[in-house]
Amino acid sequence: MSSKYLVIHMSDPTGADLTQSEDQAMLERWAAEGEAAGRLGEGAPVAGPEQAKSVVVRDGRALITDGPFPEFKEWFAGYDLITADSIDEAAEYMTRHPVATLGRIYILPQVRLPWDQE
């Protein structure tokens, strides 16, 4: 049975450099494979840390802070929603995404909240 996974793209200074054309070609191959297999859902790149905000509520008071945030060593660069039969299958598929070379990818299984159970 297939499950859905949130794939988070992270920047990472230890990643290798790719030219724009290498990056685009790799991404196009990855997306074509995912679409053909019916595993690729929504996804998008996101703005850099200078456009980010941090939001917390403590003791009933909202604290909203503008980025960038020096505590981040890696930066959330984008996301995808994919479908796979297992997290291992999802991970194997994501090895072909350019961010796996440029940075780091985190894969999180989607879970149902107790009130969403059928």
Side-chain angles (χ1 to χ4, degrees):
M1 177 177 188
S2 294
S3 297
K4 293 193 183 286
Y5 297 90
L6 171 65
V7 178
I8 299 174
H9 306 207
M10 303 294 287
S11 65
D12 181 341
T14 66
D17 290 329
L18 291 176
T19 66
Q20 183 177 354
S21 62
E22 290 171 320
D23 186 330
Q24 184 173 356
M26 195 175 200
L27 185 60
E28 287 171 358
R29 283 190 306 271
W30 171 85
E33 179 186 336
E35 289 171 3
R39 66 171 59 137
L40 191 56
E42 290 187 38
V46 296
E50 65 284 343
Q51 295 182 44
K53 291 198 181 282
S54 169
V55 178
V56 298
V57 176
R58 299 294 183 264
D59 298 321
R61 209 173 110 212
L63 175 62
I64 301 172
T65 308
D66 291 336
F69 309 105
E71 62 272 17
F72 279 100
K73 291 184 174 59
E74 298 175 336
W75 184 252
F76 173 69
Y79 71 95
D80 287 294
L81 296 174
I82 65 170
T83 301
D85 289 336
S86 69
I87 195 167
D88 293 325
E89 181 182 285
E92 195 279 324
Y93 171 59
M94 292 310 299
T95 64
R96 293 183 288 286
H97 193 284
V99 172
T101 300
L102 297 167
R104 183 176 312 270
I105 293 174
Y106 296 114
I107 302 170
L108 301 145
Q110 183 181 21
V111 297
R112 291 181 157 260
L113 297 172
W115 49 84
D116 291 335
Q117 298 295 330
E118 294 177 12

